[in-house]
């Protein structure tokens, strides 16, 4: 089943200052494909969601449909800030936007696509600070963790850009460069010109479930140089694509029954391993995935014996990395 395009992040975060000019780029949103033919189209739907208040019509933010670049379409003035912070006299107010994704151009008002991500915008009751007053951490990365989810068995694609569009736009006299530090042979490539990170091949969760890299940023201003490093994590999302397997290859077990066995006596066991996902909650859905059956025509056997199914999470270690799976015991 092709599930279509998807977002590698569940949410995005950016600051918006008062009186930043219209056209200021805020952040870049990426999508990954389910099949090679797909082309991503981004769209803002619905109003701005303001905590503890009615949604407001979105007059300030737009997204480029082809590139996923979110930008200011109108400068946010003090009056706008007061309206959006609804009597909240804090220096900061948060609003939310939903970005929707489709593999074809959006029709007007077409917002029933289930594929969406949330953008949290912190509206700050001050003009943008001078670039020289920002720390290397603020110039290089947002407050959000660099953590991504990539589905296994999907085509390669670009899923993040390290450079912050707003900082790049506002602080042009600073030199900000990045590196992605990773072990040899990991399936990710960093492009120095665009600062984008790409997954270069289809991933297999049963081989490796998590990649831990480091994003390193260097800021140069005249003779001054600052560096900052943050973790860059990629989690591989599972697809139910591996058949269960039996440790010794046999899928039946013989039971020898002696007289005077007490009720509850275990007569025989059969173990099945599943390298795909861990036990699913609610547990009934994991229980229904495989059933154990006594093969017999004798009604007395069916009434007297039963198969019990217990399962727990275990770890496999292919290529030395830990991958979660399930052990089913009957």
């Amino acid at each position: 089943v092709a599930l279509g395009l998807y977002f590698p992040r569940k949410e995005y975060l950016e600051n918006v200052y008062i009186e930043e000019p219209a056209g200021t780029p805020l952040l870049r949103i990426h999508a990954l494909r389910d099949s090679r033919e797909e082309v991503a189209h981004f769209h803002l739907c619905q109003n701005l969601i303001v905590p503890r208040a009615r949604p407001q019509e979105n007059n300030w933010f737009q997204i480029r449909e082809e590139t996923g670049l979110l930008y200011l379409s109108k400068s946010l003035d003090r009056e706008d800030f007061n309206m959006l912070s609804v009597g909240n006299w804090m220096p900061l107010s948060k609003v939310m936007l939903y970005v929707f994704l489709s593999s074809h151009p959006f029709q007007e008002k077409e917002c029933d696509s289930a594929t969406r991500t949330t953008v949290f915008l912190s509206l700050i009751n001050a003009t943008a600070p001078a670039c020289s007053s920002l720390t290397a951490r603020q110039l290089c990365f947002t407050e959000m963790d660099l953590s991504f989810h990539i589905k296994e068995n999907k085509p390669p694609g670009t899923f993040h850009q390290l450079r912050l569009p707003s900082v790049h736009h506002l602080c042009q006299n600073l030199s900000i460069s990045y590196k992605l530090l990773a072990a040899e042979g990991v399936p990710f490539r960093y492009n120095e010109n665009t600062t984008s990170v790409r997954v270069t091949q289809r991933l297999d969760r049963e081989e490796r479930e998590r990649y831990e890299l480091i994003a390193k940023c260097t800021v140069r201003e005249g003779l001054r140089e600052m560096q900052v490093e943050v973790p860059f994590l990629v989690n591989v999302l599972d697809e139910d694509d591996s058949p269960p397997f039996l440790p010794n290859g046999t899928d039946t077990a013989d039971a020898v029954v002696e007289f005077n066995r007490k009720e509850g006596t275990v007569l025989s066991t059969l173990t099945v391993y599943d390298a795909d996902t861990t036990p699913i909650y609610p547990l009934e859905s994991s229980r229904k995935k495989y059933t154990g059956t006594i093969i017999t025509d004798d009604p007395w056997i069916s009434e007297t014996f039963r198969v019990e199914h217990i399962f727990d999470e275990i770890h496999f270690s292919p290529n030395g990395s830990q991958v979660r799976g399930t052990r089913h015991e009957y």
Side-chain angles (χ1 to χ4, degrees):
V1 183
L3 295 170
L5 296 155
Y6 68 97
F7 290 105
R9 303 191 85 164
K10 291 187 174 64
E11 50 193 48
Y12 290 80
L13 184 67
E14 191 47 81
N15 296 333
V16 181
Y17 294 92
I18 286 180
E19 289 160 15
E20 283 188 282
T24 300
L26 298 174
L27 63 94
R28 178 82 191 273
I29 292 174
H30 289 84
L32 285 169
R33 296 170 301 163
D34 194 82
S35 60
R36 283 185 181 282
E37 309 73 62
E38 286 175 318
V39 177
H41 296 267
F42 300 90
H43 194 61
L44 285 181
C45 284
Q46 300 164 329
N47 297 329
L48 277 179
I49 295 150
V50 183
R52 304 179 303 282
R54 285 184 303 116
Q56 292 276 359
E57 193 178 339
N58 171 23
N59 298 315
W60 300 274
F61 307 101
Q62 273 307 322
I63 196 164
R64 299 212 190 286
E65 185 170 325
E66 264 82 51
T67 62
L69 183 73
L70 186 78
Y71 63 96
L72 271 173
S73 52
K74 172 182 182 293
S75 182
L76 186 81
D77 59 28
R78 288 193 188 276
E79 210 173 297
D80 298 332
F81 177 86
N82 294 339
M83 181 175 74
L84 291 173
S85 53
V86 265
N88 166 6
W89 295 106
M90 306 284 286
L92 179 147
S93 178
K94 263 206 170 83
V95 297
M96 262 165 59
L97 277 172
Y98 291 125
V99 176
F100 288 77
L101 192 54
S102 172
S103 54
H104 56 82
F106 274 86
Q107 307 305 312
E108 200 54 44
K109 302 276 185 268
E110 175 206 6
C111 291
D112 53 358
S113 153
T115 312
R116 71 177 193 192
T117 191
T118 309
V119 176
F120 292 95
L121 296 167
S122 297
L123 309 182
I124 296 170
N125 191 8
T127 53
C131 296
S132 55
S133 70
L134 296 173
T135 65
R137 179 77 171 81
Q138 291 169 313
L139 290 164
C140 294
F141 304 107
T142 66
E143 290 139 55
M144 265 185 85
D145 292 343
L146 289 181
S147 180
F148 307 89
H149 296 86
I150 297 180
K151 293 181 182 179
E152 67 171 339
N153 305 323
K154 302 300 178 207
T158 297
F159 63 94
H160 185 61
Q161 185 179 34
L162 285 165
R163 180 172 64 212
L164 304 180
S166 53
V167 171
H168 184 64
H169 181 76
L170 293 168
C171 305
Q172 295 181 3
N173 60 335
L174 293 182
S175 154
I176 302 174
S177 59
Y178 294 89
K179 274 196 168 72
L180 194 61
L181 311 178
E184 276 296 302
V186 297
F188 306 104
R189 183 163 300 133
Y190 169 64
N191 180 326
E192 267 186 34
N193 299 326
T194 60
T195 76
S196 58
V197 186
R198 177 180 175 77
V199 55
T200 57
Q201 65 189 55
R202 290 171 186 264
L203 302 181
D204 181 355
R205 193 202 72 93
E206 287 72 61
E207 287 295 319
R208 186 153 175 188
E209 189 169 14
R210 185 176 164 89
Y211 294 88
E212 300 185 14
L213 301 85
I214 289 172
K216 178 179 176 179
C217 175
T218 305
V219 180
R220 288 184 191 85
E221 185 185 14
L223 298 172
R224 201 164 65 117
E225 183 175 295
M226 300 180 286
Q227 291 189 334
V228 61
E229 293 183 0
V230 297
F232 187 103
L233 307 173
V234 178
N235 294 288
V236 185
L237 293 183
D238 194 64
E239 201 174 50
D240 200 352
D241 64 333
S242 298
F245 63 94
L246 301 132
N248 56 4
T250 172
D251 63 352
T252 54
D254 295 329
V256 177
V257 186
E258 296 171 351
F259 284 106
N260 297 333
R261 296 291 92 181
K262 284 198 174 72
E263 184 179 337
T265 301
V266 176
L267 301 167
S268 182
T269 58
L270 182 67
T271 304
V272 181
Y273 291 111
D274 185 350
D276 268 319
T277 32
T278 56
I280 308 161
Y281 298 92
L283 289 175
E284 270 319 296
S285 51
S286 269
R287 214 179 290 285
K288 285 177 189 148
K289 197 171 172 187
Y290 305 122
T291 55
T293 311
I294 299 173
I295 301 166
T296 179
D297 300 331
D298 185 334
W300 176 79
I301 290 179
S302 302
E303 284 161 23
T304 313
F305 302 97
R306 72 166 186 269
V307 178
E308 278 202 3
H309 178 195
I310 55 172
F311 50 89
D312 54 4
E313 182 175 304
I314 56 163
H315 287 96
F316 298 99
S317 296
N319 310 328
S321 71
Q322 279 210 332
V323 172
R324 294 171 303 153
T326 314
R327 175 175 54 212
H328 299 264
E329 295 211 64
Y330 297 92

